[in-house]
Amino acid sequence: MAVHAHPDDESSKGAAAMARYAAEGVEVLVVTCTGGERGSVLNPKLDRPEVWENIATIRRAEMDRAREILGVDQAWLGFVDSGFPEGDPLPPLPEGCFGLMDPQDAAAPLVELIRKFRPHVVTTYDEEGGYPHPDHVMTHKVSMVAFEAAGDATRYPDKGEPWQPLKLYYNMGWSKARMHALHEAMIEATGESPYTEWMKQWDEERTDKGDRVTTRVPCGEFFEARDDALRAHATQVDPDGFWFAVPLNIQQKVWPTEDYELVKSHVDTRTPEDDLFAGVR
């Protein structure tokens, strides 16, 4: 079970690993906490009034297509997108949005899904949400509550028979080591890199969490499916943009894994791992 904040997050974080496991016969369920109703239209070709007017419906259709490409199942928790607040001072979040929910209350439908789907492994975001979008931070909080509560019969007693997942991971895709490796490979191959400015600003603006990675899942052969799924979220991603700037063959050669941090385990396993199901199989 992969818990994400918005439609498109599942295709940019851990998608190739999910596609690999699905191809191996593992049941994979993406849980999408919000409908992405307040997301931006980041594809200039689709930045049109009729798209904005129907953004919620369009994003659901995009999610359906991405799910099909990855070969996974998907469920909506039904919460309302908070939007990404910008400005100084930051504006308040919209009333009733996911980011303002009490995590204990918001965890209830996720507990119910865990007890119904009965996953052995759950993935989610770290304590900062991967990046500080209020929905990502809330996704972390809700995931942590649900992981602990799902196996406890005294909690959420009306949400199904208890089930305790065995392992919990954080997505850890944006380590400095990975970005540096791709940056250097692009310089060597083409003389330029899409990550030049990122690398210059990294120490000032980003915290490197690469030393927290415990698990690297080989899945390079599924990078194409990952990218196709991301492009299926056409309103959210420019197909000619940053996400697709490094050729697949370079990615597969330089960094053919998707990376995670193991944060909770009810089984014996040794790190570093190369499999989310280490100790479970």
Side-chain angles (χ1 to χ4, degrees):
M1 175 182 281
V3 187
H4 289 283
H6 311 105
D8 79 85
D9 287 325
E10 85 296 326
S11 295
S12 60
K13 303 165 189 68
M18 288 195 297
R20 172 199 148 173
Y21 285 123
E24 291 176 355
V26 174
E27 293 180 75
V28 180
L29 178 66
V30 170
V31 178
T32 312
C33 293
T34 79
E37 302 89 346
R38 291 190 171 99
S40 303
V41 176
L42 299 176
N43 183 347
K45 300 178 184 68
L46 295 176
D47 191 1
R48 305 191 303 265
E50 67 272 20
V51 172
W52 283 101
E53 291 168 6
N54 297 287
I55 192 66
T57 300
I58 290 171
R59 296 210 67 185
R60 279 184 170 264
E62 291 173 344
M63 183 68 247
D64 282 344
R65 179 60 184 140
R67 172 186 57 73
E68 291 173 357
I69 291 169
L70 295 175
V72 303
D73 294 319
Q74 187 261 344
W76 302 92
L77 283 196
F79 295 111
V80 177
D81 190 345
S82 305
F84 188 73
E86 296 181 275
D88 188 13
L90 291 175
L93 295 179
E95 185 176 350
C97 71
F98 184 48
L100 293 178
M101 296 287 295
D102 181 328
Q104 299 293 328
D105 294 336
L110 184 55
V111 169
E112 187 171 19
L113 266 181
I114 289 174
R115 290 175 175 174
K116 180 179 179 181
F117 181 65
R118 298 162 67 90
H120 297 93
V121 173
V122 175
T123 69
T124 189
Y125 309 146
D126 69 11
E127 64 282 353
E128 295 179 343
Y131 84 111
H133 190 297
D135 290 340
H136 284 242
V137 175
M138 185 57 69
T139 296
H140 161 79
K141 293 178 180 178
V142 168
S143 298
M144 301 305 288
V145 172
F147 185 87
E148 293 297 332
D152 186 344
T154 67
R155 301 180 69 182
Y156 306 94
D158 61 336
K159 298 302 179 184
E161 291 296 317
W163 173 263
Q164 179 57 61
L166 298 177
K167 300 176 82 175
L168 177 70
Y169 289 91
Y170 294 158
N171 295 287
M172 284 285 166
W174 296 99
S175 67
K176 187 175 182 179
R178 175 176 176 267
M179 302 308 296
H180 180 74
L182 294 173
H183 170 74
E184 291 296 320
M186 285 295 288
I187 294 292
E188 181 179 349
T190 69
E192 58 185 10
S193 165
Y195 303 131
T196 298
E197 291 304 314
W198 268 35
M199 298 310 299
K200 288 179 181 177
Q201 299 171 8
W202 189 291
D203 292 332
E204 297 178 6
E205 299 183 2
R206 298 180 66 89
T207 301
D208 181 33
K209 299 176 182 176
D211 60 347
R212 291 170 52 173
V213 171
T214 62
T215 310
R216 303 188 191 278
V217 179
C219 51
E221 65 188 285
F222 294 94
F223 284 179
E224 184 174 4
R226 174 204 65 192
D227 286 0
D228 286 345
L230 190 55
R231 278 187 284 263
H233 292 283
T235 57
Q236 296 297 293
V237 180
D238 182 352
D240 302 315
F242 173 84
W243 285 100
F244 311 106
V246 179
L248 285 179
N249 65 312
I250 291 179
Q251 296 184 54
Q252 290 163 334
K253 177 181 178 181
V254 172
W255 207 277
T257 66
E258 288 185 332
D259 304 339
Y260 298 84
E261 178 186 8
L262 175 63
V263 288
K264 291 183 181 293
S265 180
H266 294 286
V267 296
D268 291 333
T269 184
R270 293 183 179 181
T271 58
E273 303 172 320
D274 62 2
D275 181 10
L276 299 182
F277 294 92
V280 175
R281 294 186 186 274

